[in-house]
Amino acid sequence: MQRNETLFPLDNVGNALWDMLTGGDDLNVEREFEFSIIFPSEEQALKFGQLLLENNQKLSFCPYQGDDKFPWEITAYPYMSASYENIAAYQELLMTSATPFSGKYDGWYCVDSSK
């Protein structure tokens, strides 16, 4: 299978999606994603979480162990198909929305639909 760099650009999102596709995942199957943003204070994280809740987003809030300067994590759980456009757009939306709260994007994850 030849990689279409328009559908799977040579960046972290495109590489992850390409790995999923070549591993047998059906990227058209909608599934829950996990997008994490980390924050320097509990108050900032909770304010960002409130913004997500006001926009009907499912989320979780917990301490974060991976960065002493950003010890709080909000994870949003959108349900969508695994396309570059969906992931990049949601990632950008979270990053832009988290900036006023000093949030830092920490990545995304989803379960392989073939398993």
Side-chain angles (χ1 to χ4, degrees), residues 28-84:
N28 294 313
V29 173
E30 291 192 352
R31 82 279 314 272
E32 187 173 78
F33 280 76
E34 299 176 17
F35 287 83
S36 294
I37 306 285
I38 53 177
F39 296 87
S41 77
E42 180 178 17
E43 180 182 359
Q44 290 164 310
L46 289 172
K47 285 180 181 179
F48 179 71
Q50 180 178 352
L51 175 70
L52 291 179
L53 288 172
E54 288 171 355
N55 286 282
N56 298 314
Q57 297 294 298
K58 178 179 172 183
L59 64 92
S60 65
F61 165 69
C62 63
Y64 181 71
Q65 305 298 321
D67 187 331
D68 292 340
K69 294 181 182 178
F70 290 82
W72 297 98
E73 178 179 25
I74 293 284
T75 301
Y77 300 90
Y79 194 79
M80 60 189 178
S81 61
S83 72
Y84 186 88

